[in-house]
């Protein structure tokens, strides 16, 4: 049996960050991976999806700028977009990710890892002992809810096939209008498919502000996505190469290709959880430092614990867990990794949000002042996101005079978000924010509008 201080199961972003930090801290670390080092994020999720979206966004921005717009002669070159996507995912080869682990002395075990008891992991018949801790970082897989016929559709796409597609299909039917559904709808429609997007809830992106959903919906519709909301899929069938989805109102939609984007479930079915008295199949419940209650040697980070299904939050949890194992005093969670985590939807317009939405704040019983301003309605908007739709909404806790939520929509606004994250996590009072002066002419002057409206 080989022995390590810590064994990490899953080399996605969460597992890699934890392993690297532990090794930097002087511990002997093993990491177990059954597919590619880099995880879902690097090959089938964040990275390739942004590669499919960015060219349209860049083109749309150039077309908004007189003088530059005239230089645009053609439309998107789909094969070139796919080729760039392949570069970004390294043709599904993880060789470039290995030196990062090697440089830190992290031992990589390729194969499926499973717990076999307290501080014991098996991989490919080899037993590993974890002297201090085991970290579960196996991520998540696409969910197929119990819709009649859905399981039996031959060739149905999940995020994996969509993000690694070799050709742009003529038609694509997408089930699910959450983040993956809307991002893929934009990507494929702008690259040449006719996309139909079906969402069971009343609107797309049901967890974000209503205005954000409305702007993304308008944008998708403007370039031809057929959007059907409030229609739950009840039955899926396939014949002669055509998939037919029947929805709750009795209508049907057809396509040669179906993309199932109906959420994720944690990869915990074959992880040996039962060997330590935990239930397989569900998320692994953790405390604020990602420790599994009653198992002081066991941690669960990233998608597997279901707290916040984002790469950046998985990496944050990796740092928290590593620091806790290393016994660092600063291993204190801010509790910032739940549904209020920073989040970006990379459509055009983008939706960048952190903290509360109007709905979640109301549910939390907060008394709010709500301040809205146009994202490009300032001097910076003459140059960036010119004329593009976009709204910045700040939610201020009336009693404490603190920003508790921010949603910004518009062209290329993702990088705006971190200022709001700092204001919220740092609980910076409005009176102090007045001294945080945005540069001119940038669209960050939305913060001045907030202060003006709040009377600061
Ligand atoms: C289409 C799409 C786009 C996305 N875009 C973004 C985005 O732009 N920004 C963002 O922050 N998030 C995005 N996400 C979410 C993000 O991909 C996940 O939150 C992130 O990958 C989770 O990281 P992780 O390390 O927990 O798990 P993963 O990335 O899933 O990695 C887990 C790894 O563990 C391996 N593994 C699992 N079980 C075992 C086992 N028993 N033994 C050995 N190995 C195992 C898996 O094969 C995998 O390689 C997107 C998701 C999708 C589907």
């Amino acid at each position: 049996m080989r022995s390590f201080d810590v064994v990490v199961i899953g080399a996605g972003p969460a597992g890699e960050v934890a392993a690297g930090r532990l090794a930097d801290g002087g511990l002997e670390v093993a990491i177990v991976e059954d597919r590619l080092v880099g995880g879902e994020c690097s090959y089938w999720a964040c990275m390739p999806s942004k590669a499919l979206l960015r060219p349209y966004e860049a083109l749309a921005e150039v077309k908004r700028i007189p003088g530059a717009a005239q230089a645009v002669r053609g439309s998107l070159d789909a094969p070139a977009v796919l080729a760039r996507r392949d570069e970004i995912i390294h043709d599904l080869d993880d060789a470039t990710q290995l030196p990062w682990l090697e440089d830190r002395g992290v031992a990589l075990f390729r194969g499926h890892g499973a717990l076999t008891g307290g501080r014991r992991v098996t991989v490919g018949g080899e037993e590993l002992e974890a002297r201090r801790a085991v970290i579960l970082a196996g991520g998540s897989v696409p969910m197929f809810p119990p819709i009649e016929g859905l399981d039996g559709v031959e060739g149905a796409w999940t995020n994996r096939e969509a993000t690694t597609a070799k050709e742009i299909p003529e038609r694509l039917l997408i089930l699910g209008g959450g983040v993956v559904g809307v991002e893929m709808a934009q990507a494929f429609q702008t690259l040449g498919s006719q996309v139909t997007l079906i969402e069971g809830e009343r609107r797309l992106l049901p967890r974000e502000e209503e205005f954000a959903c409305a702007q993304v919906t308008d944008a998708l519709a403007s370039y031809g996505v057929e959007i059907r909301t409030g229609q739950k899929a009840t039955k899926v069938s396939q014949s002669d190469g055509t998939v037919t989805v029947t929805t709750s109102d009795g209508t049907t939609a057809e396509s040669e290709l179906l993309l199932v984007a109906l959420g994720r479930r944690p990869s915990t079915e074959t992880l040996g959880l039962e060997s330590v008295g935990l239930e397989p199949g569900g998320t692994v419940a953790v405390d604020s430092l990602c420790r599994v209650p009653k198992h002081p040697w066991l941690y669960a980070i990233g998608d597997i614990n279901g707290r916040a299904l984002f790469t950046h939050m998985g990496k944050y949890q990796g740092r928290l867990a590593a620091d806790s194992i290393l016994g660092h005093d600063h291993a204190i969670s801010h509790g910032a990794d739940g549904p209020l985590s920073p989040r970006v939807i990379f459509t055009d317009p983008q939706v960048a949000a952190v903290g509360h939405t109007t709905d979640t704040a109301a549910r939390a019983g907060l008394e709010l002042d709500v301040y809205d301003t146009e994202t490009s309605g300032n001097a910076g908007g003459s140059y960036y996101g010119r004329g593009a739709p976009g709204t910045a909404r700040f939610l201020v806790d009336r009693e404490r005079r603190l920003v508790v939520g921010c949603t910004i929509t518009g062209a290329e606004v993702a990088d705006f978000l971190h200022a709001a994250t700092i204001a919220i996590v740092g609980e910076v009072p409005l009176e102090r924010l007045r001294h945080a002066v945005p540069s001119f002419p940038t669209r960050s002057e939305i913060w001045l509008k907030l202060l003006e409206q709040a009377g600061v």
Side-chain angles (χ1 to χ4, degrees):
M1 179 186 310
R2 306 257 317 256
S3 181
F4 295 87
D5 288 314
V6 181
V7 176
V8 181
I9 303 180
E16 274 196 296
V17 163
R21 197 165 175 98
L22 287 162
D24 285 342
L27 298 192
E28 246 187 288
V29 183
I31 194 162
V32 184
E33 173 55 52
D34 63 5
R35 282 187 299 140
L36 295 177
V37 172
E40 198 77 8
C41 168
S42 301
Y43 307 98
W44 299 282
C46 328
M47 295 301 284
S49 60
K50 269 74 264 181
L52 297 176
L53 288 162
R54 177 65 183 146
Y56 172 79
E57 181 186 56
L59 185 63
E61 178 65 358
V62 171
K63 286 182 176 171
R64 286 189 277 261
I65 304 171
Q70 286 75 2
V72 176
R73 297 275 179 270
S75 50
L76 286 182
D77 179 338
V81 173
L82 298 182
R84 174 65 186 137
R85 182 276 323 272
D86 287 340
E87 266 175 35
I88 281 179
I89 62 172
H90 302 288
D91 294 310
L92 300 179
D93 180 344
D94 63 6
T96 57
Q97 302 248 16
L98 304 185
W100 194 86
L101 292 176
E102 286 160 10
D103 291 349
R104 287 165 177 75
V106 175
L108 171 64
F109 289 82
R110 292 212 183 254
H112 187 76
L115 290 165
T116 53
R119 293 188 289 106
R120 293 279 187 285
V121 170
T122 178
V123 48
E126 188 162 4
E127 286 284 313
L128 308 180
E129 179 200 32
R131 294 187 293 267
R132 288 207 199 179
V134 173
I135 301 181
L136 307 176
S140 62
V141 290
M143 186 154 65
F144 277 61
I147 296 169
E148 187 188 334
L150 182 62
D151 263 347
V153 178
E154 223 173 277
W157 278 7
T158 65
N159 63 293
R160 297 219 180 126
E161 293 76 19
T163 52
T164 55
K166 290 289 174 203
E167 280 170 15
I168 304 302
E170 220 164 279
R171 292 198 295 177
L172 181 62
L173 180 52
I174 303 180
L175 280 188
V179 182
V180 174
V182 296
E183 285 191 355
M184 289 299 98
Q186 172 172 322
F188 280 93
Q189 182 76 29
T190 56
L191 289 169
S193 299
Q194 173 55 57
V195 173
T196 305
L197 182 57
I198 298 183
E199 165 59 47
E201 300 281 331
R202 170 177 71 78
R203 61 181 175 96
L204 302 179
L205 302 172
R207 288 191 200 144
E208 298 304 339
E209 293 280 6
E210 185 117 24
F211 73 81
C213 148
Q215 288 169 13
V216 171
T217 304
D218 286 351
L220 291 173
S222 75
Y223 39 75
V225 176
E226 188 192 336
I227 300 165
R228 295 167 57 165
T229 51
Q231 299 188 352
K232 281 202 179 356
T234 53
K235 188 178 164 195
V236 184
S237 58
Q238 186 174 34
S239 86
D240 295 333
T242 301
V243 180
T244 306
V245 172
T246 308
T247 59
S248 44
D249 62 355
T251 56
T252 57
E254 281 189 351
S255 175
E256 295 69 47
L257 206 49
L258 178 70
L259 165 57
V260 181
L262 293 169
R264 316 275 303 168
R265 63 181 173 80
S267 306
T268 54
E269 261 159 22
T270 55
L271 201 51
L273 289 181
E274 59 290 351
S275 72
V276 295
L278 296 169
E279 190 74 27
T283 51
V284 183
V286 290
D287 67 12
S288 63
L289 285 179
C290 299
R291 295 173 297 207
V292 178
K294 299 195 191 133
H295 296 74
W297 53 274
L298 188 60
Y299 290 73
I301 59 175
D303 281 12
I304 205 163
N305 67 28
R307 290 175 62 85
L309 306 193
F310 303 108
T311 288
H312 46 281
M313 298 318 287
K315 287 167 43 173
Y316 169 69
Q317 294 173 355
R319 295 192 289 274
L320 281 180
D323 288 353
S324 161
I325 293 166
L326 289 164
H328 290 165
D329 291 345
H330 58 262
I332 298 167
S333 167
H334 183 273
D337 64 335
L340 306 186
S341 302
R343 48 208 187 265
V344 176
I345 301 161
F346 288 85
T347 41
D348 185 44
Q350 292 180 342
V351 179
V354 57
H356 281 290
T357 61
T358 322
D359 269 1
T360 63
R363 270 186 266 131
L366 294 176
E367 289 268 328
L368 285 184
D369 287 319
V370 180
Y371 302 112
D372 287 348
T373 182
E374 221 186 299
T375 307
S376 289
N378 45 36
S382 308
Y383 310 104
Y384 302 92
R386 181 176 167 270
T391 305
R393 168 167 291 181
F394 295 95
L395 307 179
V396 173
D397 182 324
R398 188 169 299 158
E399 202 186 303
R400 299 170 68 213
R401 299 281 284 167
L402 296 173
V403 179
V404 292
C406 177
T407 298
I408 305 172
T409 61
E412 303 183 353
V413 295
D415 276 314
F416 277 40
L417 191 60
H418 201 53
T421 305
I422 290 170
I424 292 174
V425 173
E427 299 191 337
V428 185
L430 287 189
E431 278 64 25
R432 174 62 62 91
L433 271 180
R434 82 161 78 196
H435 303 295
V437 182
S439 295
F440 182 86
T442 68
R443 289 178 294 165
S444 287
E445 287 197 327
I446 53 174
W447 289 87
L448 295 184
K449 278 276 169 32
L450 156 70
L451 295 171
E452 239 170 62
Q453 292 181 48
V456 178

